[in-house]
Amino acid sequence: MNRPRTVPAVISAPTHSGQSDCDVMTESAIHTISLVEGSFAAIVQSNPGTGKACISILDRDEIEEHIRLLRNAIEDAERINRGLPTIHAPDRGDR
C-alpha cells in the first residue's frame, strides 16, 4: 500500500554518528549487485521530483538487521497512529 506522504526535500534525522540533514527519497527498489568481493543486496532510493538517488550495498547480516529494524519501526508507527507510545524506540529523555 503506497500511502501519500507530504515531506520537505530535506529532513534532519538521526544517524549512527548523530543528527544529519538528509535528502528525502520517496521511491525505493531492491536489487542484487555483483562486486569484486561477491554479490550483495542493494537498496536504491530515489526522488523523481529532485532527480536524486542513493544506493546502499549490504551483506546478509546487514540485511537481516534492516529487516528486524523495519519490523520494529512499522510496529511503532502503528502504535503511534493508534495514539499509543512506542515500545521499540530508546528513551532519550527529550520527549
Side-chain angles (χ1 to χ4, degrees):
M1 167 175 94
N2 283 333
R3 277 194 306 172
R5 291 154 279 205
T6 303
V7 294
V10 176
I11 291 177
S12 179
T15 68
H16 286 296
S17 56
Q19 283 296 111
S20 181
D21 287 341
C22 302
D23 291 330
V24 175
M25 304 299 171
T26 56
E27 294 183 353
S28 64
I30 299 175
H31 304 286
T32 303
I33 64 169
S34 294
L35 303 174
V36 173
E37 298 84 357
S39 296
F40 295 84
I43 302 172
V44 181
Q45 297 177 317
S46 62
N47 186 333
T50 64
K52 291 185 177 183
C54 65
I55 187 170
S56 296
I57 300 170
L58 307 165
D59 65 20
R60 182 176 191 86
D61 290 341
E62 292 165 321
I63 287 295
E64 288 176 356
E65 183 64 8
H66 272 69
I67 290 167
R68 186 185 70 77
L69 292 170
L70 285 167
R71 286 185 175 139
N72 289 349
I74 198 65
E75 288 175 18
D76 275 349
E78 289 169 350
R79 291 179 62 81
I80 292 168
N81 287 340
R82 291 192 315 265
L84 300 171
T86 64
I87 57 173
H88 295 103
D91 181 17
R92 299 184 318 229
D94 61 353
R95 295 181 225 191

